[in-house]
């Protein structure tokens, strides 16, 4: 098993909403070129993309997918665009400090992502989100359609009240008293055991995680134990997800999904223990122009478990979206004819 690439380097970006730590992978359009891991994407180099992680995650969750999408795809695969990739640590996660407002709502996270895109001055972007990040990206795409070229969601945490063990644990962790006690107890468990349990919950096949990646995750768990605000960020964001699941009326995430005008790709894993893959059908109906894929034998973090497959699907989607948008501009008609609403594709590994 070949060793994995290291996490992409990053830097702090100061925004109106506070500081974010952002990892960057500049596009390498020439297959023979050697990438510069310290280069920040610049104007005019390639189409920009922003990747948003899930609850308890960080920008490192996108390491392998960013590597694949910042390089041309292997022939004879689809020739989607080569992307300039940026992935922020959401406020309070990874290396990003807590937000000044101490607000971890979906709205606040969305404002941070919008501020990052605005600050970069390169939009519209291809926006990609996983789990909590998928909910955040859905809200961003609904409220600021001018910023979004396409939307890709990997196991997005969109409201679903059917009882499942994973979501019930998140709901329990959000309760006053119980949540803080559970996190304090969890920190007494060795980092290796916590990491192994997390991988079992997130992956359909935990054996696909490279041993070096496992060691990186253990080191990150130990580092996060020492920052002093991990519980605040986790509890605040968990409560935000629960609040969105229980919200009614015109401000729900499903209403936001219906407002999204950008071409949308939704990827689920059939073995996801946290987000019910059955919501793929509702997503296919809810988004204006959606292509929905369910990957068999894959868990909650398909971009980590099967980055090659996710990259292949995204390249095809982005190529089709680009063709559709070009046709739309040529005809002068509004819309995004990349895929019919409600289309559901089953893809085998």
């Amino acid at each position: 098993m070949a060793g994995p690439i290291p996490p992409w380097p990053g830097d702090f970006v100061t925004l109106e909403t506070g500081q974010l730590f952002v990892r960057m992978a500049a596009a390498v359009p020439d297959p023979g070129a050697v990438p510069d891991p310290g280069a920040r994407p610049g104007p005019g180099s390639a189409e920009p993309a922003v990747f948003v992680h899930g609850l308890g995650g960080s920008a490192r969750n996108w390491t392998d997918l960013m590597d694949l999408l910042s390089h041309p795809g292997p022939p004879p695969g689809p020739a989607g665009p080569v992307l300039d990739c940026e992935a922020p640590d959401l406020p309070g996660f990874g290396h990003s400090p807590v937000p000044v407002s101490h607000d971890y709502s979906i709205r606040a996270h969305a404002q941070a992502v919008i501020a990052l895109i605005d600050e970069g001055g390169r939009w519209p972007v291809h926006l990609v989100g996983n789990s909590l990040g998928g909910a955040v990206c859905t809200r961003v795409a609904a409220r600021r359609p001018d910023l979004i070229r396409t939307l890709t969601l990997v196991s997005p945490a969109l409201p679903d009240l059917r009882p499942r063990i994973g979501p019930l644990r998140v709901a329990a962790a959000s309760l006053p008293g119980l949540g803080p006690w559970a996190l304090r107890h969890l920190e007494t468990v060795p980092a290796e055991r916590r990491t192994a349990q997390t991988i079992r919950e997130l992956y359909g096949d935990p054996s696909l995680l490279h041993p070096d990646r496992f060691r990186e995750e253990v080191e990150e768990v130990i580092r996060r134990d020492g920052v002093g605000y991990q519980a605040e960020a986790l509890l605040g964001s968990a409560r935000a997800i629960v609040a969105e699941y229980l919200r009614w009326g015109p401000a729900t995430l499903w209403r936001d999904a219906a407002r999204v005008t950008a071409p949308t790709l939704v990827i689920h894993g059939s073995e996801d223990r946290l987000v019910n893959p059955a919501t793929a059908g509702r997503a296919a109906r809810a988004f204006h122009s959606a292509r929905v894929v369910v990957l068999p034998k894959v868990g909650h973090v398909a971009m980590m478990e099967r980055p090659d497959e996710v990259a292949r699907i995204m390249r095809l989607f982005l190529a089709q979206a680009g063709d559709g948008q070009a046709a739309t501009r040529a005809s002068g008609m509004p819309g995004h004819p990349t895929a019919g609403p409600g289309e559901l594709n089953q893809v085998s590994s």
Side-chain angles (χ1 to χ4, degrees), residues 43-67:
S45 55
E47 294 179 7
V50 174
F51 299 76
V52 184
H53 65 81
L55 181 67
S58 73
R60 295 181 310 105
N61 295 164
W62 302 103
T63 300
D64 295 315
L65 185 62
M66 287 169 62
D67 179 54

mmCIF file with all atom_site columns, all heavy atoms in Angstrom, residues 43-67:
data_model
loop_
_atom_site.group_PDB
_atom_site.id
_atom_site.type_symbol
_atom_site.label_atom_id
_atom_site.label_alt_id
_atom_site.label_comp_id
_atom_site.label_asym_id
_atom_site.label_entity_id
_atom_site.label_seq_id
_atom_site.pdbx_PDB_ins_code
_atom_site.Cartn_x
_atom_site.Cartn_y
_atom_site.Cartn_z
_atom_site.occupancy
_atom_site.B_iso_or_equiv
_atom_site.pdbx_formal_charge
_atom_site.auth_seq_id
_atom_site.auth_comp_id
_atom_site.auth_asym_id
_atom_site.auth_atom_id
_atom_site.pdbx_PDB_model_num
ATOM 1   N N   . PRO A 1 43 ? -5.745  34.502 -9.266  1.00 0.00 ? 43 PRO A N   1
ATOM 2   C CA  . PRO A 1 43 ? -6.726  34.863 -10.291 1.00 0.00 ? 43 PRO A CA  1
ATOM 3   C C   . PRO A 1 43 ? -6.340  34.325 -11.663 1.00 0.00 ? 43 PRO A C   1
ATOM 4   O O   . PRO A 1 43 ? -5.186  34.371 -12.072 1.00 0.00 ? 43 PRO A O   1
ATOM 5   C CB  . PRO A 1 43 ? -6.699  36.398 -10.266 1.00 0.00 ? 43 PRO A CB  1
ATOM 6   C CG  . PRO A 1 43 ? -6.138  36.760 -8.935  1.00 0.00 ? 43 PRO A CG  1
ATOM 7   C CD  . PRO A 1 43 ? -5.179  35.666 -8.595  1.00 0.00 ? 43 PRO A CD  1
ATOM 8   N N   . GLY A 1 44 ? -7.331  33.806 -12.364 1.00 0.00 ? 44 GLY A N   1
ATOM 9   C CA  . GLY A 1 44 ? -7.142  33.403 -13.744 1.00 0.00 ? 44 GLY A CA  1
ATOM 10  C C   . GLY A 1 44 ? -6.464  32.074 -13.944 1.00 0.00 ? 44 GLY A C   1
ATOM 11  O O   . GLY A 1 44 ? -6.254  31.652 -15.087 1.00 0.00 ? 44 GLY A O   1
ATOM 12  N N   . SER A 1 45 ? -6.083  31.374 -12.894 1.00 0.00 ? 45 SER A N   1
ATOM 13  C CA  . SER A 1 45 ? -5.351  30.131 -13.068 1.00 0.00 ? 45 SER A CA  1
ATOM 14  C C   . SER A 1 45 ? -6.263  28.947 -13.388 1.00 0.00 ? 45 SER A C   1
ATOM 15  O O   . SER A 1 45 ? -5.956  28.127 -14.234 1.00 0.00 ? 45 SER A O   1
ATOM 16  C CB  . SER A 1 45 ? -4.516  29.822 -11.827 1.00 0.00 ? 45 SER A CB  1
ATOM 17  O OG  . SER A 1 45 ? -5.325  29.808 -10.678 1.00 0.00 ? 45 SER A OG  1
ATOM 18  N N   . ALA A 1 46 ? -7.378  28.821 -12.686 1.00 0.00 ? 46 ALA A N   1
ATOM 19  C CA  . ALA A 1 46 ? -8.308  27.718 -12.901 1.00 0.00 ? 46 ALA A CA  1
ATOM 20  C C   . ALA A 1 46 ? -9.610  28.055 -12.175 1.00 0.00 ? 46 ALA A C   1
ATOM 21  O O   . ALA A 1 46 ? -9.688  29.026 -11.423 1.00 0.00 ? 46 ALA A O   1
ATOM 22  C CB  . ALA A 1 46 ? -7.722  26.408 -12.365 1.00 0.00 ? 46 ALA A CB  1
ATOM 23  N N   . GLU A 1 47 ? -10.630 27.236 -12.411 1.00 0.00 ? 47 GLU A N   1
ATOM 24  C CA  . GLU A 1 47 ? -11.898 27.471 -11.719 1.00 0.00 ? 47 GLU A CA  1
ATOM 25  C C   . GLU A 1 47 ? -11.721 27.175 -10.233 1.00 0.00 ? 47 GLU A C   1
ATOM 26  O O   . GLU A 1 47 ? -11.158 26.149 -9.853  1.00 0.00 ? 47 GLU A O   1
ATOM 27  C CB  . GLU A 1 47 ? -12.989 26.585 -12.313 1.00 0.00 ? 47 GLU A CB  1
ATOM 28  C CG  . GLU A 1 47 ? -13.336 26.945 -13.751 1.00 0.00 ? 47 GLU A CG  1
ATOM 29  C CD  . GLU A 1 47 ? -14.416 26.048 -14.339 1.00 0.00 ? 47 GLU A CD  1
ATOM 30  O OE1 . GLU A 1 47 ? -14.999 25.231 -13.589 1.00 0.00 ? 47 GLU A OE1 1
ATOM 31  O OE2 . GLU A 1 47 ? -14.663 26.164 -15.550 1.00 0.00 ? 47 GLU A OE2 1
ATOM 32  N N   . PRO A 1 48 ? -12.216 28.071 -9.360  1.00 0.00 ? 48 PRO A N   1
ATOM 33  C CA  . PRO A 1 48 ? -12.027 27.877 -7.916  1.00 0.00 ? 48 PRO A CA  1
ATOM 34  C C   . PRO A 1 48 ? -13.061 26.927 -7.326  1.00 0.00 ? 48 PRO A C   1
ATOM 35  O O   . PRO A 1 48 ? -14.213 26.858 -7.786  1.00 0.00 ? 48 PRO A O   1
ATOM 36  C CB  . PRO A 1 48 ? -12.199 29.287 -7.357  1.00 0.00 ? 48 PRO A CB  1
ATOM 37  C CG  . PRO A 1 48 ? -13.142 29.954 -8.315  1.00 0.00 ? 48 PRO A CG  1
ATOM 38  C CD  . PRO A 1 48 ? -12.830 29.376 -9.675  1.00 0.00 ? 48 PRO A CD  1
ATOM 39  N N   . ALA A 1 49 ? -12.647 26.209 -6.297  1.00 0.00 ? 49 ALA A N   1
ATOM 40  C CA  . ALA A 1 49 ? -13.540 25.310 -5.566  1.00 0.00 ? 49 ALA A CA  1
ATOM 41  C C   . ALA A 1 49 ? -13.276 25.462 -4.075  1.00 0.00 ? 49 ALA A C   1
ATOM 42  O O   . ALA A 1 49 ? -12.128 25.641 -3.654  1.00 0.00 ? 49 ALA A O   1
ATOM 43  C CB  . ALA A 1 49 ? -13.329 23.857 -5.993  1.00 0.00 ? 49 ALA A CB  1
ATOM 44  N N   . VAL A 1 50 ? -14.332 25.388 -3.275  1.00 0.00 ? 50 VAL A N   1
ATOM 45  C CA  . VAL A 1 50 ? -14.237 25.496 -1.820  1.00 0.00 ? 50 VAL A CA  1
ATOM 46  C C   . VAL A 1 50 ? -14.880 24.248 -1.213  1.00 0.00 ? 50 VAL A C   1
ATOM 47  O O   . VAL A 1 50 ? -16.004 23.871 -1.577  1.00 0.00 ? 50 VAL A O   1
ATOM 48  C CB  . VAL A 1 50 ? -14.943 26.770 -1.306  1.00 0.00 ? 50 VAL A CB  1
ATOM 49  C CG1 . VAL A 1 50 ? -14.964 26.800 0.220   1.00 0.00 ? 50 VAL A CG1 1
ATOM 50  C CG2 . VAL A 1 50 ? -14.245 28.017 -1.856  1.00 0.00 ? 50 VAL A CG2 1
ATOM 51  N N   . PHE A 1 51 ? -14.164 23.613 -0.270  1.00 0.00 ? 51 PHE A N   1
ATOM 52  C CA  . PHE A 1 51 ? -14.583 22.343 0.334   1.00 0.00 ? 51 PHE A CA  1
ATOM 53  C C   . PHE A 1 51 ? -14.835 22.558 1.827   1.00 0.00 ? 51 PHE A C   1
ATOM 54  O O   . PHE A 1 51 ? -13.965 23.084 2.534   1.00 0.00 ? 51 PHE A O   1
ATOM 55  C CB  . PHE A 1 51 ? -13.490 21.290 0.146   1.00 0.00 ? 51 PHE A CB  1
ATOM 56  C CG  . PHE A 1 51 ? -13.175 20.979 -1.294  1.00 0.00 ? 51 PHE A CG  1
ATOM 57  C CD1 . PHE A 1 51 ? -12.414 21.854 -2.062  1.00 0.00 ? 51 PHE A CD1 1
ATOM 58  C CD2 . PHE A 1 51 ? -13.628 19.809 -1.879  1.00 0.00 ? 51 PHE A CD2 1
ATOM 59  C CE1 . PHE A 1 51 ? -12.113 21.579 -3.388  1.00 0.00 ? 51 PHE A CE1 1
ATOM 60  C CE2 . PHE A 1 51 ? -13.331 19.521 -3.206  1.00 0.00 ? 51 PHE A CE2 1
ATOM 61  C CZ  . PHE A 1 51 ? -12.582 20.412 -3.967  1.00 0.00 ? 51 PHE A CZ  1
ATOM 62  N N   . VAL A 1 52 ? -16.001 22.112 2.327   1.00 0.00 ? 52 VAL A N   1
ATOM 63  C CA  . VAL A 1 52 ? -16.406 22.378 3.709   1.00 0.00 ? 52 VAL A CA  1
ATOM 64  C C   . VAL A 1 52 ? -16.650 21.044 4.422   1.00 0.00 ? 52 VAL A C   1
ATOM 65  O O   . VAL A 1 52 ? -17.492 20.242 3.988   1.00 0.00 ? 52 VAL A O   1
ATOM 66  C CB  . VAL A 1 52 ? -17.669 23.263 3.764   1.00 0.00 ? 52 VAL A CB  1
ATOM 67  C CG1 . VAL A 1 52 ? -18.012 23.618 5.213   1.00 0.00 ? 52 VAL A CG1 1
ATOM 68  C CG2 . VAL A 1 52 ? -17.473 24.530 2.928   1.00 0.00 ? 52 VAL A CG2 1
ATOM 69  N N   . HIS A 1 53 ? -15.932 20.827 5.520   1.00 0.00 ? 53 HIS A N   1
ATOM 70  C CA  . HIS A 1 53 ? -15.960 19.555 6.245   1.00 0.00 ? 53 HIS A CA  1
ATOM 71  C C   . HIS A 1 53 ? -17.186 19.424 7.150   1.00 0.00 ? 53 HIS A C   1
ATOM 72  O O   . HIS A 1 53 ? -17.986 20.353 7.312   1.00 0.00 ? 53 HIS A O   1
ATOM 73  C CB  . HIS A 1 53 ? -14.685 19.416 7.079   1.00 0.00 ? 53 HIS A CB  1
ATOM 74  C CG  . HIS A 1 53 ? -14.577 20.448 8.171   1.00 0.00 ? 53 HIS A CG  1
ATOM 75  N ND1 . HIS A 1 53 ? -15.217 20.328 9.380   1.00 0.00 ? 53 HIS A ND1 1
ATOM 76  C CD2 . HIS A 1 53 ? -13.895 21.624 8.233   1.00 0.00 ? 53 HIS A CD2 1
ATOM 77  C CE1 . HIS A 1 53 ? -14.944 21.375 10.139  1.00 0.00 ? 53 HIS A CE1 1
ATOM 78  N NE2 . HIS A 1 53 ? -14.144 22.178 9.469   1.00 0.00 ? 53 HIS A NE2 1
ATOM 79  N N   . GLY A 1 54 ? -17.292 18.266 7.800   1.00 0.00 ? 54 GLY A N   1
ATOM 80  C CA  . GLY A 1 54 ? -18.422 17.972 8.659   1.00 0.00 ? 54 GLY A CA  1
ATOM 81  C C   . GLY A 1 54 ? -18.108 18.114 10.145  1.00 0.00 ? 54 GLY A C   1
ATOM 82  O O   . GLY A 1 54 ? -17.030 18.558 10.543  1.00 0.00 ? 54 GLY A O   1
ATOM 83  N N   . LEU A 1 55 ? -19.075 17.718 10.975  1.00 0.00 ? 55 LEU A N   1
ATOM 84  C CA  . LEU A 1 55 ? -18.973 17.834 12.423  1.00 0.00 ? 55 LEU A CA  1
ATOM 85  C C   . LEU A 1 55 ? -17.789 17.023 12.940  1.00 0.00 ? 55 LEU A C   1
ATOM 86  O O   . LEU A 1 55 ? -17.661 15.831 12.664  1.00 0.00 ? 55 LEU A O   1
ATOM 87  C CB  . LEU A 1 55 ? -20.268 17.324 13.071  1.00 0.00 ? 55 LEU A CB  1
ATOM 88  C CG  . LEU A 1 55 ? -20.349 17.398 14.598  1.00 0.00 ? 55 LEU A CG  1
ATOM 89  C CD1 . LEU A 1 55 ? -20.370 18.854 15.059  1.00 0.00 ? 55 LEU A CD1 1
ATOM 90  C CD2 . LEU A 1 55 ? -21.584 16.662 15.101  1.00 0.00 ? 55 LEU A CD2 1
ATOM 91  N N   . GLY A 1 56 ? -16.909 17.680 13.697  1.00 0.00 ? 56 GLY A N   1
ATOM 92  C CA  . GLY A 1 56 ? -15.752 17.009 14.251  1.00 0.00 ? 56 GLY A CA  1
ATOM 93  C C   . GLY A 1 56 ? -14.609 16.830 13.268  1.00 0.00 ? 56 GLY A C   1
ATOM 94  O O   . GLY A 1 56 ? -13.556 16.306 13.638  1.00 0.00 ? 56 GLY A O   1
ATOM 95  N N   . GLY A 1 57 ? -14.799 17.260 12.024  1.00 0.00 ? 57 GLY A N   1
ATOM 96  C CA  . GLY A 1 57 ? -13.770 17.097 11.017  1.00 0.00 ? 57 GLY A CA  1
ATOM 97  C C   . GLY A 1 57 ? -12.928 18.349 10.854  1.00 0.00 ? 57 GLY A C   1
ATOM 98  O O   . GLY A 1 57 ? -12.908 19.240 11.710  1.00 0.00 ? 57 GLY A O   1
ATOM 99  N N   . SER A 1 58 ? -12.225 18.411 9.738   1.00 0.00 ? 58 SER A N   1
ATOM 100 C CA  . SER A 1 58 ? -11.381 19.565 9.435   1.00 0.00 ? 58 SER A CA  1
ATOM 101 C C   . SER A 1 58 ? -11.093 19.562 7.945   1.00 0.00 ? 58 SER A C   1
ATOM 102 O O   . SER A 1 58 ? -11.499 18.642 7.209   1.00 0.00 ? 58 SER A O   1
ATOM 103 C CB  . SER A 1 58 ? -10.069 19.519 10.225  1.00 0.00 ? 58 SER A CB  1
ATOM 104 O OG  . SER A 1 58 ? -9.205  18.530 9.691   1.00 0.00 ? 58 SER A OG  1
ATOM 105 N N   . ALA A 1 59 ? -10.353 20.580 7.500   1.00 0.00 ? 59 ALA A N   1
ATOM 106 C CA  . ALA A 1 59 ? -9.982  20.659 6.090   1.00 0.00 ? 59 ALA A CA  1
ATOM 107 C C   . ALA A 1 59 ? -9.176  19.446 5.642   1.00 0.00 ? 59 ALA A C   1
ATOM 108 O O   . ALA A 1 59 ? -9.154  19.121 4.448   1.00 0.00 ? 59 ALA A O   1
ATOM 109 C CB  . ALA A 1 59 ? -9.185  21.942 5.846   1.00 0.00 ? 59 ALA A CB  1
ATOM 110 N N   . ARG A 1 60 ? -8.513  18.755 6.576   1.00 0.00 ? 60 ARG A N   1
ATOM 111 C CA  . ARG A 1 60 ? -7.711  17.581 6.205   1.00 0.00 ? 60 ARG A CA  1
ATOM 112 C C   . ARG A 1 60 ? -8.566  16.462 5.626   1.00 0.00 ? 60 ARG A C   1
ATOM 113 O O   . ARG A 1 60 ? -8.055  15.582 4.927   1.00 0.00 ? 60 ARG A O   1
ATOM 114 C CB  . ARG A 1 60 ? -6.944  17.061 7.422   1.00 0.00 ? 60 ARG A CB  1
ATOM 115 C CG  . ARG A 1 60 ? -5.897  18.022 7.953   1.00 0.00 ? 60 ARG A CG  1
ATOM 116 C CD  . ARG A 1 60 ? -5.135  17.469 9.149   1.00 0.00 ? 60 ARG A CD  1
ATOM 117 N NE  . ARG A 1 60 ? -6.017  16.947 10.172  1.00 0.00 ? 60 ARG A NE  1
ATOM 118 C CZ  . ARG A 1 60 ? -6.226  15.657 10.413  1.00 0.00 ? 60 ARG A CZ  1
ATOM 119 N NH1 . ARG A 1 60 ? -5.579  14.740 9.722   1.00 0.00 ? 60 ARG A NH1 1
ATOM 120 N NH2 . ARG A 1 60 ? -7.053  15.264 11.353  1.00 0.00 ? 60 ARG A NH2 1
ATOM 121 N N   . ASN A 1 61 ? -9.878  16.486 5.897   1.00 0.00 ? 61 ASN A N   1
ATOM 122 C CA  . ASN A 1 61 ? -10.771 15.458 5.356   1.00 0.00 ? 61 ASN A CA  1
ATOM 123 C C   . ASN A 1 61 ? -10.797 15.457 3.829   1.00 0.00 ? 61 ASN A C   1
ATOM 124 O O   . ASN A 1 61 ? -11.198 14.462 3.214   1.00 0.00 ? 61 ASN A O   1
ATOM 125 C CB  . ASN A 1 61 ? -12.191 15.647 5.870   1.00 0.00 ? 61 ASN A CB  1
ATOM 126 C CG  . ASN A 1 61 ? -12.340 15.461 7.367   1.00 0.00 ? 61 ASN A CG  1
ATOM 127 O OD1 . ASN A 1 61 ? -13.335 15.867 7.950   1.00 0.00 ? 61 ASN A OD1 1
ATOM 128 N ND2 . ASN A 1 61 ? -11.353 14.873 8.016   1.00 0.00 ? 61 ASN A ND2 1
ATOM 129 N N   . TRP A 1 62 ? -10.380 16.570 3.219   1.00 0.00 ? 62 TRP A N   1
ATOM 130 C CA  . TRP A 1 62 ? -10.451 16.706 1.767   1.00 0.00 ? 62 TRP A CA  1
ATOM 131 C C   . TRP A 1 62 ? -9.098  16.483 1.086   1.00 0.00 ? 62 TRP A C   1
ATOM 132 O O   . TRP A 1 62 ? -8.979  16.677 -0.133  1.00 0.00 ? 62 TRP A O   1
ATOM 133 C CB  . TRP A 1 62 ? -10.976 18.094 1.401   1.00 0.00 ? 62 TRP A CB  1
ATOM 134 C CG  . TRP A 1 62 ? -12.314 18.392 1.979   1.00 0.00 ? 62 TRP A CG  1
ATOM 135 C CD1 . TRP A 1 62 ? -12.583 19.180 3.060   1.00 0.00 ? 62 TRP A CD1 1
ATOM 136 C CD2 . TRP A 1 62 ? -13.579 17.917 1.513   1.00 0.00 ? 62 TRP A CD2 1
ATOM 137 N NE1 . TRP A 1 62 ? -13.944 19.223 3.296   1.00 0.00 ? 62 TRP A NE1 1
ATOM 138 C CE2 . TRP A 1 62 ? -14.581 18.451 2.362   1.00 0.00 ? 62 TRP A CE2 1
ATOM 139 C CE3 . TRP A 1 62 ? -13.960 17.087 0.452   1.00 0.00 ? 62 TRP A CE3 1
ATOM 140 C CZ2 . TRP A 1 62 ? -15.928 18.190 2.192   1.00 0.00 ? 62 TRP A CZ2 1
ATOM 141 C CZ3 . TRP A 1 62 ? -15.322 16.817 0.278   1.00 0.00 ? 62 TRP A CZ3 1
ATOM 142 C CH2 . TRP A 1 62 ? -16.276 17.365 1.136   1.00 0.00 ? 62 TRP A CH2 1
ATOM 143 N N   . THR A 1 63 ? -8.076  16.074 1.827   1.00 0.00 ? 63 THR A N   1
ATOM 144 C CA  . THR A 1 63 ? -6.715  16.005 1.293   1.00 0.00 ? 63 THR A CA  1
ATOM 145 C C   . THR A 1 63 ? -6.639  15.249 -0.026  1.00 0.00 ? 63 THR A C   1
ATOM 146 O O   . THR A 1 63 ? -6.123  15.760 -1.027  1.00 0.00 ? 63 THR A O   1
ATOM 147 C CB  . THR A 1 63 ? -5.764  15.357 2.319   1.00 0.00 ? 63 THR A CB  1
ATOM 148 O OG1 . THR A 1 63 ? -5.755  16.152 3.515   1.00 0.00 ? 63 THR A OG1 1
ATOM 149 C CG2 . THR A 1 63 ? -4.357  15.244 1.771   1.00 0.00 ? 63 THR A CG2 1
ATOM 150 N N   . ASP A 1 64 ? -7.126  14.023 -0.056  1.00 0.00 ? 64 ASP A N   1
ATOM 151 C CA  . ASP A 1 64 ? -6.969  13.185 -1.247  1.00 0.00 ? 64 ASP A CA  1
ATOM 152 C C   . ASP A 1 64 ? -7.855  13.663 -2.394  1.00 0.00 ? 64 ASP A C   1
ATOM 153 O O   . ASP A 1 64 ? -7.428  13.641 -3.554  1.00 0.00 ? 64 ASP A O   1
ATOM 154 C CB  . ASP A 1 64 ? -7.271  11.721 -0.910  1.00 0.00 ? 64 ASP A CB  1
ATOM 155 C CG  . ASP A 1 64 ? -6.256  11.150 0.074   1.00 0.00 ? 64 ASP A CG  1
ATOM 156 O OD1 . ASP A 1 64 ? -5.051  11.379 -0.123  1.00 0.00 ? 64 ASP A OD1 1
ATOM 157 O OD2 . ASP A 1 64 ? -6.663  10.495 1.044   1.00 0.00 ? 64 ASP A OD2 1
ATOM 158 N N   . LEU A 1 65 ? -9.066  14.086 -2.099  1.00 0.00 ? 65 LEU A N   1
ATOM 159 C CA  . LEU A 1 65 ? -9.957  14.557 -3.167  1.00 0.00 ? 65 LEU A CA  1
ATOM 160 C C   . LEU A 1 65 ? -9.423  15.852 -3.786  1.00 0.00 ? 65 LEU A C   1
ATOM 161 O O   . LEU A 1 65 ? -9.462  16.032 -5.006  1.00 0.00 ? 65 LEU A O   1
ATOM 162 C CB  . LEU A 1 65 ? -11.369 14.763 -2.635  1.00 0.00 ? 65 LEU A CB  1
ATOM 163 C CG  . LEU A 1 65 ? -12.409 15.137 -3.698  1.00 0.00 ? 65 LEU A CG  1
ATOM 164 C CD1 . LEU A 1 65 ? -12.552 14.028 -4.727  1.00 0.00 ? 65 LEU A CD1 1
ATOM 165 C CD2 . LEU A 1 65 ? -13.761 15.441 -3.050  1.00 0.00 ? 65 LEU A CD2 1
ATOM 166 N N   . MET A 1 66 ? -8.893  16.762 -2.959  1.00 0.00 ? 66 MET A N   1
ATOM 167 C CA  . MET A 1 66 ? -8.301  17.985 -3.486  1.00 0.00 ? 66 MET A CA  1
ATOM 168 C C   . MET A 1 66 ? -7.113  17.668 -4.390  1.00 0.00 ? 66 MET A C   1
ATOM 169 O O   . MET A 1 66 ? -6.917  18.317 -5.425  1.00 0.00 ? 66 MET A O   1
ATOM 170 C CB  . MET A 1 66 ? -7.890  18.908 -2.343  1.00 0.00 ? 66 MET A CB  1
ATOM 171 C CG  . MET A 1 66 ? -9.061  19.578 -1.648  1.00 0.00 ? 66 MET A CG  1
ATOM 172 S SD  . MET A 1 66 ? -8.620  20.419 -0.088  1.00 0.00 ? 66 MET A SD  1
ATOM 173 C CE  . MET A 1 66 ? -7.451  21.657 -0.662  1.00 0.00 ? 66 MET A CE  1
ATOM 174 N N   . ASP A 1 67 ? -6.324  16.684 -4.015  1.00 0.00 ? 67 ASP A N   1
ATOM 175 C CA  . ASP A 1 67 ? -5.185  16.288 -4.846  1.00 0.00 ? 67 ASP A CA  1
ATOM 176 C C   . ASP A 1 67 ? -5.669  15.812 -6.208  1.00 0.00 ? 67 ASP A C   1
ATOM 177 O O   . ASP A 1 67 ? -5.133  16.210 -7.254  1.00 0.00 ? 67 ASP A O   1
ATOM 178 C CB  . ASP A 1 67 ? -4.397  15.189 -4.140  1.00 0.00 ? 67 ASP A CB  1
ATOM 179 C CG  . ASP A 1 67 ? -3.213  14.700 -4.961  1.00 0.00 ? 67 ASP A CG  1
ATOM 180 O OD1 . ASP A 1 67 ? -2.393  15.542 -5.364  1.00 0.00 ? 67 ASP A OD1 1
ATOM 181 O OD2 . ASP A 1 67 ? -3.125  13.483 -5.210  1.00 0.00 ? 67 ASP A OD2 1
#
